[in-house]
């Protein structure tokens, strides 16, 4: 009866607390393995988050003690044309990368294959000590997907990226943290509160400035210094045109926390008839 109830639930749960939206992969009976239905639900949820001004930060996690065990090979047909699935994978990875709000992956248990790359596609990764990670593709006769070939070398360098991808070995949270693939390790008892605090801090930040910081860093690895400086100048000009800058200055002078809104602060010239 319990498993029937689980199977009847949506493959992706969504919740909102303040400015933080949480997306929970919800196939615990399969350790949240990814199906076309779940990819589609992620696509729709990320698109909705991108267009909802109430979303100031996003948390991605998994139900039932696992983050995501990758593609569901049990429910997949190895002889089916791969293009619909690959299109879904590509679109979700691109949406997650380009989402303007900060994203946090909360990882318990396994994060494997595309599941791990979904976590790496987030801006910050928090894991429990028992979390395990694997770019398992080569052990399945497959190559990387969900952005892994772009993310890994930028995060750990070419040689370590090749090690992880070619061998498909499993590493633990401590190893992932040492490589820079996990931002923080928190105990199973404390990870929820820790992620809530981090996400709330991000949601309270200046939304326009944070969006531009994220974009500049994402793009910076592929730019020359001259291009990066030009991009920073454009982004800073936009930031100065928001109400958040004078609000930050006023809050500093008044010794209070700032209240950021991201509102535009360009005044129209006085109209004279």
């Amino acid at each position: 009866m319990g498993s029937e109830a689980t199977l009847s639930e949506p493959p992706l749960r969504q919740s909102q607390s303040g400015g933080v939206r949480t997306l929970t992969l919800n196939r615990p009976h399969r350790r949240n393995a990814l199906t076309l239905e779940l990819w589609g639900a992620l696509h729709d949820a990320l698109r909705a988050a991108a267009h909802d001004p109430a979303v100031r930060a996003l948390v991605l996690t998994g139900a039932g003690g696992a983050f995501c065990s990758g593609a569901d090979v049990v429910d997949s047909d190895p002889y089916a044309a791969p293009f619909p699935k690959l299109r879904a994978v590509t679109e979700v990875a691109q949406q997650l990368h380009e989402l303007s709000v900060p994203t946090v992956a909360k990882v318990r248990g396994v994060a494997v294959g595309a599941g791990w790359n979904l976590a790496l596609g987030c801006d910050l990764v928090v894991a429990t000590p028992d979390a395990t990670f694997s770019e398992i593709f080569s052990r399945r006769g497959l190559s990387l997907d969900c952005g892994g070939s772009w993310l890994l070398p930028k995060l750990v360098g070419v040689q370590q990226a090749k090690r992880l991808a070619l061998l498909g070995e499993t590493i633990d949270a401590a190893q992932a943290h040492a490589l820079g693939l996990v931002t923080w390790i928190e105990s199973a008892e404390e990870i929820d509160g820790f992620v809530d605090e981090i996400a709330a801090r991000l949601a309270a930040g200046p939304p326009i400035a944070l969006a531009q910081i994220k974009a500049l860093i994402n793009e910076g690895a592929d730019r020359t210094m001259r291009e990066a400086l030009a991009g920073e100048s454009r982004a800073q000009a936009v930031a100065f045109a928001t109400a958040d800058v004078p609000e930050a200055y006023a809050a500093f002078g008044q010794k209070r926390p700032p209240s950021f809104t991201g509102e535009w602060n360009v005044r129209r010239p006085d109209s004279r008839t």
Side-chain angles (χ1 to χ4, degrees):
M1 184 173 180
S3 62
E4 290 178 2
T6 300
L7 290 169
S8 67
E9 293 180 1
L12 184 72
R13 295 202 313 260
Q14 300 187 53
S15 62
Q16 180 98 11
S17 177
V20 180
R21 181 160 300 175
T22 299
L23 305 182
T24 303
L25 308 177
N26 189 37
R27 302 186 71 235
H29 59 292
R30 297 289 302 148
R31 295 194 298 177
N32 304 314
L34 296 154
T35 61
L36 267 177
E37 182 186 13
L38 183 46
W39 283 116
L42 275 170
H43 177 279
D44 292 346
L46 290 170
R47 181 176 58 185
H51 292 90
D52 190 343
V55 178
R56 300 273 293 264
L58 185 136
V59 174
L60 182 62
T61 191
F67 183 76
C68 177
S69 58
D72 193 328
V73 297
V74 172
D75 289 349
S76 298
D77 179 0
Y79 298 100
F83 300 109
K85 178 182 176 181
L86 292 174
R87 184 167 56 248
V89 172
T90 298
E91 289 175 353
V92 167
Q94 194 73 40
Q95 284 177 304
L96 184 61
H97 180 70
E98 294 179 352
L99 193 65
S100 62
V101 301
T103 54
V104 183
K106 180 167 63 176
V107 181
R108 294 184 175 91
V110 298
V112 173
W116 190 10
N117 291 336
L118 279 175
L120 295 179
C122 293
D123 302 312
L124 304 168
V125 180
V126 188
T128 54
D130 68 332
T132 56
F133 306 87
S134 176
E135 293 287 348
I136 201 170
F137 298 96
S138 65
R139 288 158 53 190
R140 299 288 184 263
L142 296 168
S143 56
L144 299 176
D145 65 21
C146 203
S149 65
W150 190 89
L151 292 162
L152 278 174
K154 285 179 169 52
L155 291 166
V156 301
V158 171
Q159 192 172 73
Q160 288 294 339
K162 288 179 178 178
R163 165 206 161 188
L164 293 167
L166 294 175
L167 296 175
E169 61 189 12
T170 298
I171 62 174
D172 60 23
Q175 291 172 295
H177 183 262
L179 287 168
L181 297 168
V182 164
T183 321
W184 297 280
I185 299 176
E186 293 293 326
S187 70
E189 295 76 24
E190 296 178 352
I191 189 170
D192 288 335
F194 182 86
V195 170
D196 288 347
E197 179 187 356
I198 292 294
R201 286 169 57 189
L202 292 168
I208 302 301
L210 293 189
Q212 294 190 106
I213 289 169
K214 175 174 174 174
L216 286 168
I217 292 175
N218 281 346
E219 296 163 3
D222 299 319
R223 287 179 167 177
T224 65
M225 175 63 111
R226 184 178 297 276
E227 290 168 336
L229 289 169
E232 289 175 356
S233 295
R234 289 191 295 270
Q236 201 71 302
V238 172
F240 273 114
T242 70
D244 289 340
V245 174
E247 165 62 12
Y249 286 20
F252 179 79
Q254 296 164 16
K255 296 181 172 56
R256 60 172 176 81
S259 178
F260 294 123
T261 64
E263 293 178 357
W264 202 239
N265 196 37
V266 177
R267 293 181 175 84
R268 296 179 184 274
D270 292 338
S271 59
R272 291 183 172 86
T273 57

